[in-house]
Amino acid sequence: MEVEVKGAAHCSIATCHRLDFLPFRCDACNGVYCQDHFPYGGHQCTKAGADSVQVIVCPICEVAERIRTDEDPNLTWDRHFTQSCNQRAPEKSGPKRCPVDGCREKMGPSNRFDCQRCGQTFCIKHRLQEDHDCRPLGSVAPGAAMRPSVGLGASGQASQANTKKKKSWGQRVGSMFACFSSSQKKSLLSGRGSTSE
């Protein structure tokens, strides 16, 4: 019993004739081929010539290498990998991010600030000198290696963002009812709903 799958076709090579569920169609001779015979050299395509534009893209450096008609694509990639591949991924060219530790804000033309004092670019939140460890160009702060990296504000005290503790669930619920008296809070929390004293 043979199952009929839409789009499936047999390889046009008489010795192969493999049923392929994702067949390849040759753009030169218009024949249908399996994965093993789809390159021009795999089915000895007579209509393909020097104008072949089949390429393989290197998964590492993302360079397109032209596949020779008489060569297996694996050999093409192996030759590229051993001879011309720099074996490094290309640098990301996406939007720059704020260099302040813990801030991953993407900087665009409308939310970037170029600090004139230190020469670096920051997001709007960290544009002030106190917010981004600003040092004049070419200078190193004395004792910088010994100083711990604590977020200090303008007054020299540790910022509240680093020392503030998260409130417990009970404290958060209690702060929602801060405008009520103690007896009103108890009745609201117990479910009685009476707010009169």
Side-chain angles (χ1 to χ4, degrees), residues 98 103-105 111 122-128 131-132:
C98 181
C103 181
R104 301 300 299 155
E105 181 76 23
N111 70 336
F122 300 96
C123 69
I124 297 298
K125 288 186 256 180
H126 298 108
R127 69 185 182 274
L128 301 176
D131 294 335
H132 69 259

Side-chain angles (χ1 to χ4, degrees), residues 166-187:
K166 193 173 183 179
K167 290 183 178 180
S168 69
W169 184 81
Q171 290 172 332
R172 289 186 301 220
V173 170
S175 66
M176 291 189 318
F177 296 102
C179 61
F180 297 106
S181 67
S182 297
S183 61
Q184 288 175 327
K185 285 182 193 177
K186 289 179 185 176
S187 65

Side-chain angles (χ1 to χ4, degrees), residues 7 44 51 75 87 92 112 132 172 177 180 184 190:
Q44 282 78 35
D51 58 339
L75 293 175
Q87 300 179 7
K92 291 185 178 180
R112 63 186 297 140
H132 69 259
R172 289 186 301 220
F177 296 102
F180 297 106
Q184 288 175 327
S190 65

Side-chain angles (χ1 to χ4, degrees), residues 29-105:
C29 66
N30 216 19
V32 176
Y33 300 100
C34 65
Q35 182 178 0
D36 297 334
H37 298 113
F38 88 92
Y40 294 138
H43 64 273
Q44 282 78 35
C45 187
T46 57
K47 296 186 180 179
D51 58 339
S52 168
V53 290
Q54 287 184 334
V55 294
I56 186 168
V57 178
C58 178
I60 299 169
C61 66
E62 298 176 2
V63 171
E65 277 292 318
R66 189 177 199 158
I67 299 175
R68 295 182 185 169
T69 58
D70 60 339
E71 186 176 63
D72 182 36
N74 293 322
L75 293 175
T76 304
W77 186 83
D78 190 45
R79 184 181 67 252
H80 162 72
F81 183 74
T82 57
Q83 294 176 1
S84 62
C85 184
N86 61 8
Q87 300 179 7
R88 276 186 287 135
E91 296 281 330
K92 291 185 178 180
S93 62
K96 289 192 172 192
R97 295 185 182 263
C98 181
V100 174
D101 288 338
C103 181
R104 301 300 299 155
E105 181 76 23

